[in-house]
Amino acid sequence: MIYKSLVSINDYSKKEYIEILDLAAEFENNPIRETLKGKVIATLFFEPSTRTRLSFESAISKLGGKIVGFTDSSSSSVTKGETLYDTIKTVSNYSDLIVMRHPLEGSARYASEITNIPIINAGDGANQHPTQTMLDMYSIRKTQGTLENLNIFLVGDLKYGRTVHSLLMAMSQFNPTFNFISPDELKIPEGYKYFLDNLGLKYYEHKDFTDIISRADIIYMTRVQKERFSDPIEYERTKNTYVLKNNMLTNTKDSMRILHPLPRVSEIDIDVDQNPKAYYFNQALNGVFVRQAIITSTLGLI
Ligand code: CP
């Protein structure tokens, strides 16, 4: 099993992805345990969150652990000028593991290099969101019965969407075909295309997906990440580019499922919610079991 920080999705091997998913399935069957009794987990959220923080805290509570931390850095000594270095060094004295979300790319890696306790990256800027990816993969495997050879549509903000970046890297181990659907301003960064090119994987870029939607196994919708734009006019221009509506799903595969890391703004109409192909709220639930698996694995308690 895995006894190490999870900073990048590439910190896990393909074998380790499967181990975590299998363990998460065990937690789904039996989520209430005392595995974390006597352990203290710090949740440091320097950026807002609903699902990631609460599902981590739910996961810890169900395992009998205790939680310390903050949900808003303005209530911490960061407002007095304390550095990330000093915050991590200090919190390491009070906890067995730190779950951290921070707006700066690379902050989780930095934190992992200055402390002896494990760090779990709960999102660092536009870079990575590896625990989201693990629950996305869990949701994909659960709904498709496999992770192999799937046609995955990634729709929306592919430039700033950290969940997209982590998911692309992890799923690249399972021979996917990617369809990238975005406006020009929010295309998948070139580095990720080089990454896929080097692996010989197929990908296609589109501005619209209505004509090809019948090919999708997974449609992964994303929010346009307002907080990452330096130009508010560009955000206004792109924010409503894609709105998935129920009547667009008529010719989709029966097995196709719609995922979204959430929060949703306007990119999935609420008329989709009643469609059995809408899976995003189940996906959010899966986050509890997957995070139970990641925490216990990281602490070597399984
Ligand atoms: N999916 C996700 O990261 O949601 P939150 O920002 O609410 O944590």
Side-chain angles (χ1 to χ4, degrees):
M1 262 296 163
I2 307 156
Y3 313 129
K4 60 188 177 191
S5 293
L6 174 57
V7 171
S8 160
I9 196 65
N10 297 325
D11 292 340
Y12 284 176
S13 64
K14 182 175 181 179
K15 179 170 167 282
E16 288 169 334
Y17 294 147
I18 302 298
E19 284 177 357
I20 291 288
L21 300 187
D22 289 347
L23 184 55
E26 289 178 28
F27 278 114
E28 182 169 3
N29 286 331
N30 180 17
I32 312 295
R33 308 186 192 190
E34 291 292 312
T35 320
L36 293 181
K37 195 171 168 51
K39 298 290 181 193
V40 177
I41 314 290
T43 56
L44 308 186
F45 279 72
F46 295 85
E47 259 195 350
S49 168
T50 297
R51 275 145 296 274
T52 308
R53 183 175 67 80
L54 294 179
S55 64
F56 262 115
E57 294 187 355
S58 174
I60 295 162
S61 302
K62 286 175 192 286
L63 295 176
K66 298 276 192 239
I67 299 153
V68 295
F70 50 78
T71 58
D72 178 355
S73 61
S74 67
S75 68
S76 77
S77 287
V78 171
T79 51
K80 300 175 200 162
E82 184 164 69
T83 61
L84 181 60
Y85 179 92
D86 286 1
T87 302
I88 295 296
K89 283 291 202 192
T90 303
V91 175
S92 300
N93 291 326
Y94 308 145
S95 54
D96 299 287
L97 180 153
I98 294 174
V99 176
M100 184 177 92
R101 170 171 289 188
H102 197 284
L104 283 183
E105 296 178 23
S107 52
R109 179 66 67 202
Y110 174 69
S112 74
E113 288 169 356
I114 59 176
T115 179
N116 291 327
I117 67 168
I119 299 286
I120 295 180
N121 180 5
D124 61 330
N127 185 32
Q128 287 238 348
H129 194 348
T131 66
Q132 177 71 43
T133 296
M134 292 308 303
L135 78 91
D136 293 343
M137 288 206 291
Y138 187 80
S139 302
I140 292 171
R141 191 177 76 163
K142 195 169 169 187
T143 61
Q144 306 300 308
T146 181
L147 291 168
E148 300 283 351
N149 307 316
L150 297 172
N151 197 332
I152 300 175
F153 283 35
L154 297 167
V155 184
D157 186 347
L158 310 186
K159 179 178 179 184
Y160 297 117
R162 58 193 173 198
T163 66
V164 165
H165 302 157
S166 299
L167 184 62
L168 177 152
M169 298 190 101
M171 287 303 294
S172 68
Q173 304 270 330
F174 300 93
N175 193 38
T177 299
F178 287 114
N179 282 276
F180 299 128
I181 298 111
S182 69
D184 281 340
E185 297 89 333
L186 300 175
K187 284 171 80 165
I188 192 83
E190 290 297 314
Y192 292 102
K193 291 196 276 179
Y194 293 139
F195 173 80
L196 296 176
D197 286 337
N198 282 332
L199 294 173
L201 293 173
K202 294 191 288 294
Y203 63 85
Y204 306 93
E205 293 185 280
H206 316 268
K207 288 187 187 163
D208 184 25
F209 63 115
T210 44
D211 290 345
I212 54 169
I213 198 166
S214 61
R215 296 182 211 158
D217 294 306
I218 292 291
I219 299 179
Y220 192 91
M221 297 296 296
T222 63
R223 169 180 71 93
V224 176
Q225 306 264 308
K226 182 179 184 182
E227 65 275 28
R228 314 258 178 248
F229 280 73
S230 51
D231 178 358
I233 296 169
E234 187 165 291
Y235 171 71
E236 289 301 320
R237 193 167 56 234
T238 54
K239 68 178 183 184
N240 291 324
T241 310
Y242 305 109
V243 181
L244 188 67
K245 293 180 186 292
N246 199 38
N247 62 14
M248 295 165 64
L249 302 173
T250 310
N251 294 323
T252 54
K253 293 181 188 178
D254 289 343
S255 58
M256 188 279 287
R257 291 293 177 271
I258 302 154
L259 304 187
H260 190 314
L262 304 176
R264 156 174 62 179
V265 182
S266 57
E267 57 282 352
I268 302 179
D269 197 288
I270 56 165
D271 74 358
V272 176
D273 292 4
Q274 301 311 316
N275 191 308
K277 295 174 185 175
Y279 193 74
Y280 26 93
F281 293 116
N282 307 68
Q283 181 187 356
L285 169 63
N286 292 337
V288 174
F289 316 124
V290 168
R291 289 175 170 125
Q292 287 183 306
I294 292 170
I295 291 168
T296 51
S297 220
T298 300
L299 288 173
L301 296 172
I302 294 293

